């Protein structure tokens, strides 16, 4: 194969889209973060009512290693200068086995149906091509979006050649009352292993463990140090509720990372902790550590006074993670879709 620079065609220059639907377009900036967040919240209320995008998520996105805010973001503003649409292109900085550009964007629901989304999406695809075409690496490349099943943006993406490639199931375990999974679902902790809360000293060892545990997971690439630290030091990160399993040598064998965003409680109708990652390093698989560490997190979340735990699982996860979670009391719900186009 040839490198991405050699095989991807990209626009030499990329101007903001022409005005449409009462909006003009310009490069985004960090000063737009609050307004962009407001558009995302309004869009989620229609497209994904159980979700509530957080400001921290956008801050983290704009801090992605290598992201150029002025060149990789676009906003659509009305005559009064208010942001009513946005698009962000995230060139995933780790490219060991594949290169990915992920698109995030939304149009305020009251302005939909005017062609704004098509203009923003076309710009995003052009910018994603530019980013990927600048790489001298010989790996597969894709442009991707992740949206709720049935969202209008999924139909829009299809017009640009994107096809669904993976489904992710929203799962929730209600922790108050009598709800819960079977105690038989949690095996005994192997001799010499210890479960404890994660700490700030675990951040880098956790990154190493995460990269090892997810090497064979679909679409996963190793996390770079700056991005991983950004995740685990964000305001909604809860290392005190996260759990690690240490082997007899004190190395991390399994982990479950928890985030809590009180601003999202109303959308889901209850307080909850979001379990962002559950992983077992390859050398410790087959010991039952996944249900052990997940159950430990459920106990921590319950003890913190939260009424549920939420996670997303790959519907085609070869490890059978979905079945493990169901035995622990998680109930499957809505489906989110990754749609992509290869380059």
């Amino acid at each position: 194969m040839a490198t991405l620079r050699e095989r991807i065609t990209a626009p030499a220059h990329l101007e903001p889209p022409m005005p449409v639907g009462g909006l003009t377009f310009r490069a985004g900036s960090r000063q737009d973060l609050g307004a962009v967040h407001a558009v995302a919240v309004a869009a989620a209320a229609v497209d994904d009512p159980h979700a509530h995008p957080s400001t921290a998520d956008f801050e983290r996105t704009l801090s992605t290693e290598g992201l150029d805010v002025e060149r990789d973001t676009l906003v659509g503003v009305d005559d009064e200068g208010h942001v009513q649409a946005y698009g962000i292109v995230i060139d995933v900085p780790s490219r060991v086995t594949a290169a990915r550009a992920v698109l995030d964007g939304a149009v305020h629901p009251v302005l939909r149906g005017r062609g704004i989304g098509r203009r923003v999406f076309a710009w995003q695809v052009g910018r994603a091509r530019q980013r990927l075409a600048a790489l001298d690496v010989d790996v597969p490349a894709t442009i991707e979006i992740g949206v709720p099943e049935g969202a209008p943006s999924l139909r829009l993406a299809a017009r640009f050649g994107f096809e669904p490639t993976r489904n992710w199931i929203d799962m929730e375990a209600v922790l108050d009352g009598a709800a819960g999974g079977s105690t038989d679902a949690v095996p005994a902790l192997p001799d010499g292993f210890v479960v404890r809360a994660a700490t700030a000293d675990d951040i880098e060892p956790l990154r190493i463990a995460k990269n090892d545990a997810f090497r064979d997971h679909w679409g996963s690439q190793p996390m770079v140090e700056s991005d991983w630290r950004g995740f685990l030091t964000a305001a909604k990160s809860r290392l005190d509720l996260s759990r690690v399993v240490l082997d007899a040598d004190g190395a991390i064998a399994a982990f479950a990372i928890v985030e809590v965003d009180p601003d999202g409680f109303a959308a889901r109708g209850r307080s909850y902790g979001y379990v962002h990652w559950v992983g077992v390093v390859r050398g410790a698989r087959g010991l039952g550590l996944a249900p052990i560490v997940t159950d430990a997190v459920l106990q921590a979340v319950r003890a913190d006074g939260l009424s549920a735990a939420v996670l997303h699982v790959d519907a085609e996860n070869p490890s059978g993670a979905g079945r493990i979670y169901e035995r622990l009391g998680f109930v499957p719900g809505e489906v989110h879709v990754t749609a992509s186009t290869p380059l």
Side-chain angles (χ1 to χ4, degrees):
M1 294 175 65
T3 68
L4 300 187
R5 186 187 298 274
E6 293 169 329
R7 72 174 194 260
I8 294 178
T9 302
H13 303 285
L14 190 63
E15 298 294 332
M18 295 294 293
V20 68
L23 301 187
T24 58
F25 299 92
R26 60 168 173 79
S29 72
R30 291 187 179 276
Q31 285 67 45
D32 295 315
L33 190 148
V36 165
H37 175 247
V39 173
V41 170
V46 175
D47 302 329
D48 193 8
H50 283 167
H52 182 92
S54 73
T55 303
D57 288 334
F58 284 98
E59 291 173 344
R60 199 161 56 193
T61 294
L62 296 184
S63 298
T64 299
E65 185 172 298
L67 188 143
D68 183 332
V69 175
E70 185 174 349
R71 300 187 65 193
D72 294 332
T73 68
L74 178 80
V75 294
V77 299
D78 60 23
D79 291 341
E80 296 179 347
H82 299 139
V83 173
Q84 303 288 2
Y86 73 92
I88 305 174
V89 177
I90 305 121
D91 178 12
V92 178
S94 186
R95 311 174 188 98
V96 175
T97 60
R100 300 165 52 228
V102 180
L103 312 185
D104 179 31
V107 177
H108 197 289
V110 301
L111 295 178
R112 291 179 178 177
R114 304 184 183 187
I116 297 167
R118 289 194 296 274
R119 295 277 173 94
V120 172
F121 202 88
W123 178 89
Q124 288 179 289
V125 170
R127 180 57 185 153
R129 282 183 163 273
Q130 285 185 331
R131 291 298 307 255
L132 294 171
L135 302 175
D136 284 314
V137 293
D138 181 6
V139 294
T142 57
I143 306 174
E144 301 175 1
I145 63 165
V147 295
E149 187 176 47
S153 51
L154 196 58
R155 297 190 295 273
L156 174 61
R159 299 179 62 170
F160 287 80
F162 285 62
E163 296 183 354
T165 49
R166 209 72 168 188
N167 288 342
W168 310 87
I169 302 172
D170 180 301
M171 304 189 76
E172 179 179 271
V174 176
L175 304 175
D176 49 8
S182 168
T183 55
D184 296 337
V186 185
L189 186 67
D191 290 342
F193 285 71
V194 175
V195 181
R196 65 162 171 79
T199 71
D201 290 338
D202 294 319
I203 290 178
E204 180 58 15
L206 274 168
R207 183 181 74 90
I208 295 170
K210 187 270 180 188
N211 288 345
D212 180 74
F214 282 77
R215 273 192 294 165
D216 54 357
H217 286 224
W218 183 88
S220 180
Q221 293 295 305
M223 292 288 295
V224 298
E225 183 178 357
S226 60
D227 288 351
W228 180 254
R229 184 165 292 276
F231 273 108
L232 295 196
T233 58
K236 66 178 184 175
S237 176
R238 290 292 300 271
L239 288 176
D240 61 315
L241 301 184
S242 304
R243 291 293 182 265
V244 294
V245 178
L246 306 181
D247 64 18
D249 296 322
I252 294 176
F255 56 89
I257 308 297
V258 178
E259 297 179 339
V260 177
D261 179 17
D263 289 342
F265 293 173
R268 191 165 282 269
R270 62 175 72 249
S271 62
Y272 69 96
Y274 181 67
V275 188
H276 203 127
W277 288 284
V278 177
V280 178
V281 301
R282 293 162 67 91
R285 291 179 180 176
L287 301 177
L289 299 185
I292 288 171
V293 76
T294 305
D295 180 65
V297 156
L298 293 181
Q299 294 181 43
V301 169
R302 187 200 302 267
D304 198 59
L306 300 169
S307 65
V310 176
L311 53 76
H312 288 89
V313 64
D314 180 353
E316 300 176 43
N317 186 305
S319 69
R323 295 189 297 274
I324 293 173
Y325 300 140
E326 286 184 4
R327 290 196 294 269
L328 290 170
F330 284 89
V331 176
E334 298 171 349
V335 174
H336 288 239
V337 179
T338 293
S340 64
T341 185
L343 298 179

